[in-house]
Amino acid sequence: MPETEKYADILRLPHHVSPTRRRMTMAERAAQFSPFAALAGYGEAVRETGRAVGQRAELSEDERAVLDQKQQVILWALEQGEQPEVTVTYFRPDGKKDGGEYLRHSGNIKKVHVAKKVLFFLDGTEIPFCHIVELSGDLFQKYFED
């Protein structure tokens, strides 16, 4: 018996239209058959694992000494009532994995918190001393050769 004969009694009936529900759009119908994520968050975990981060380079003793001297120049300028403009290159550690990235920030320094070892800029940026790898600006030109 052919398939069409099995359903002969219903083949010519009109298509059912619900009186209580609106007709679905093609996009809504297609969404019913979209793949579902059996492992929630797996794709994000794979992307996070593949995300590249830089490694922090260690400063030499000479580089640390120069950096300390530049921080002293900043403190002196602040004591004179200045708000010196400097460019800071610093390493920002990544919160999720080993490593991080090097960033630069330029602006006027508002204050230095010596006990907490943090530079505070007028724009609200805070940079811990331990993350700083380079300080540059006009302030240092008369004291250091760049």
Side-chain angles (χ1 to χ4, degrees):
M1 173 192 247
E3 291 293 317
T4 53
E5 288 181 23
K6 271 189 184 174
Y7 302 105
D9 59 330
I10 62 169
L11 272 177
R12 308 261 186 258
L13 290 176
H15 179 73
H16 174 72
V17 177
S18 173
T20 58
R21 295 204 170 114
R22 67 173 181 78
R23 188 173 174 133
M24 293 175 82
T25 65
M26 293 297 275
E28 291 170 330
R29 287 183 53 79
Q32 295 180 66
F33 303 103
S34 65
F36 102 105
L39 300 173
Y42 179 73
E44 185 177 322
V46 169
R47 280 188 296 281
E48 176 61 27
T49 302
R51 185 172 56 88
V53 293
Q55 296 302 312
R56 183 180 185 145
E58 290 299 318
L59 297 177
S60 70
E61 288 297 320
D62 290 340
E63 291 170 324
R64 280 192 215 143
V66 170
L67 199 55
D68 288 343
Q69 291 172 349
K70 287 182 176 182
Q71 290 171 351
Q72 293 302 316
V73 170
I74 291 171
L75 286 171
W76 178 83
L78 289 169
E79 288 173 1
Q80 304 307 311
E82 297 178 33
Q83 291 180 324
E85 183 175 350
V86 298
T87 297
V88 180
T89 303
Y90 64 102
F91 185 79
R92 182 175 64 189
D94 192 284
K96 296 183 178 181
K97 58 198 305 187
D98 286 340
E101 63 182 329
Y102 283 95
L103 302 171
R104 294 185 81 144
H105 182 77
S106 296
N108 293 81
I109 295 179
K110 179 180 177 180
K111 69 177 182 176
V112 174
H113 196 294
V114 179
K116 291 183 179 179
K117 299 181 179 183
V118 176
L119 288 179
F120 291 89
F121 286 82
L122 286 176
D123 65 4
T125 303
E126 301 175 15
I127 302 175
F129 287 175
C130 63
H131 294 169
I132 297 173
V133 295
E134 177 61 41
L135 291 167
S136 59
D138 293 341
L139 175 68
F140 307 115
Q141 286 185 351
K142 58 185 163 184
Y143 302 102
F144 302 93
E145 292 181 24
D146 285 336

